[in-house]
C-alpha cells in the first residue's frame, strides 16, 4: 500500500480499492521471438486458473501490442544511453576504467542531439497512449515474462561494443519487460509452475496506471494455486 502526496512534477497517485467481482483478462501467449513452448503454455495455464475463479478471458494477439512493445525496447536503449552519459559527465567518470559495452552505451548517449532526447520523451508518451488503447477492453494483461530458462552467467557478455546486439539479446530474453518500464503501467511477475529441472515458470501481468490493486488481487489468486514451491525452505518463510 502506498499513500501520501507526491512533491514533484507528477500528480499524487490515487489507488483504487481492491476490485470485486469478475475482471477482464487479456491473454497473450505469443511473442515475435523464438520462445520455449513451456514458457508460453504457462501463461495459458494461469489464465485458465483465473477463469476458474470467475474472471473473463480475451485472447490478445501479438499484433495488438507489437507497436508499443517494439517502440519501448528501442526507447529503453536510448534512455539507458542518455542516463549513463549524463551520470558519467556529472561525476567525471574515466571511460578508460569501464568495460567496452558500458563505454559504447555512454558514447551513444553523448552523441545524442537535444532534439533526439526531446523526441525520446515524446515517444514515451506515445507508448503509454498506444498501450491505453489495448486496456480499453481489458482490466489486466497476462503474458510471457521470459522466453527461455534463466541463462548462465556470461550469456550477455559485455566485453564488446555492439550495444544494439546487447539490447536485442535482452529483448529476446524478456520481450515485454521494457514495455512496463517505459509506459508507466504497473506490472508484476510470479512463478506458476516449474520446468523440467525445477526452475520456476514465470508469468507477467500488466495493468493500467494506478491499478496496482488489480495486480495484487490477481497475483494473490494465482499464488493460492500453489503451482510452484521452493525445493528447500527459505529462512524466515513457511516451508
Amino acid at each position: 500500500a502506498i499513500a501520501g502526496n507526491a512533491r514533484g512534477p507528477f500528480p499524487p497517485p490515487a489507488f483504487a480499492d481492491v476490485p470485486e467481482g469478475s475482471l477482464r483478462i487479456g491473454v497473450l501467449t505469443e511473442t515475435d521471438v523464438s520462445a520455449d513452448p513451456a514458457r508460453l503454455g504457462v501463461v495459458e495455464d494461469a489464465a485458465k486458473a483465473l477463469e476458474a475463479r470467475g474472471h473473463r478471458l480475451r485472447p490478445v494477439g501479438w499484433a495488438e501490442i507489437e507497436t508499443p512493445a517494439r517502440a519501448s525496447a528501442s526507447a529503453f536503449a536510448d534512455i539507458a544511453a542518455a542516463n549513463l552519459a549524463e551520470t558519467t559527465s556529472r561525476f567525471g567518470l574515466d571511460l578508460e576504467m569501464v568495460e567496452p559495452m558500458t563505454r559504447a552505451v555512454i558514447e551513444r548517449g553523448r552523441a545524442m542531439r537535444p532534439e533526439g532526447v526531446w523526441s525520446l520523451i515524446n515517444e514515451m508518451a506515445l507508448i503509454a497512449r498506444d498501450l491505453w488503447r489495448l486496456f480499453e477492453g481489458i482490466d489486466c494483461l497476462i503474458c510471457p515474462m521470459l522466453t527461455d530458462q534463466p541463462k548462465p552467467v556470461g550469456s550477455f557478455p559485455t566485453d564488446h561494443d555492439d550495444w544494439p546486439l546487447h539490447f536485442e539479446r535482452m529483448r529476446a530474453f524478456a520481450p515485454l519487460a521494457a514495455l512496463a518500464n517505459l509506459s508507466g503501467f504497473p506490472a508484476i511477475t510470479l512463478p506458476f509452475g516449474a520446468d523440467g529441472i525445477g526452475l520456476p515458470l514465470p508469468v507477467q501481468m500488466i495493468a493500467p496506471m494506478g491499478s496496482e490493486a488489480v495486480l495484487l488481487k490477481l497475483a494473490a489468486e494465482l499464488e493460492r494455486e500453489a503451482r510452484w514451491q521452493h525445493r528447500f525452505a527459505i529462512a524466515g518463510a513457511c516451508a
Side-chain angles (χ1 to χ4, degrees), residues 23-39:
L23 294 173
R24 301 167 300 169
I25 311 296
V27 185
L28 177 68
T29 57
E30 60 179 326
T31 72
D32 65 338
V33 293
S34 178
D36 174 10
R39 293 174 187 277

Side-chain angles (χ1 to χ4, degrees), residues 18 20 54 102 105 116 124 147 198 213 237-238:
V18 176
E20 299 293 338
T102 302
V105 173
M124 293 171 65
T147 57
C238 297

Side-chain angles (χ1 to χ4, degrees), residues 67-85 105 108-109 112 116 119-121 123-124 127 156 163-164 166-172 174-184:
T67 296
R70 285 187 171 275
S72 63
S74 175
F76 179 80
D78 285 341
I79 288 174
N83 281 340
L84 273 176
V105 173
R108 157 68 177 166
M112 294 175 67
S119 296
L120 177 60
I121 295 172
E123 184 67 27
M124 293 171 65
I127 290 169
F156 299 95
W163 64 266
H166 184 74
F167 282 99
E168 177 57 28
R169 283 172 171 168
M170 292 194 294
R171 189 192 77 85
L176 292 170
L179 181 60
N181 288 331
L182 267 292
S183 66

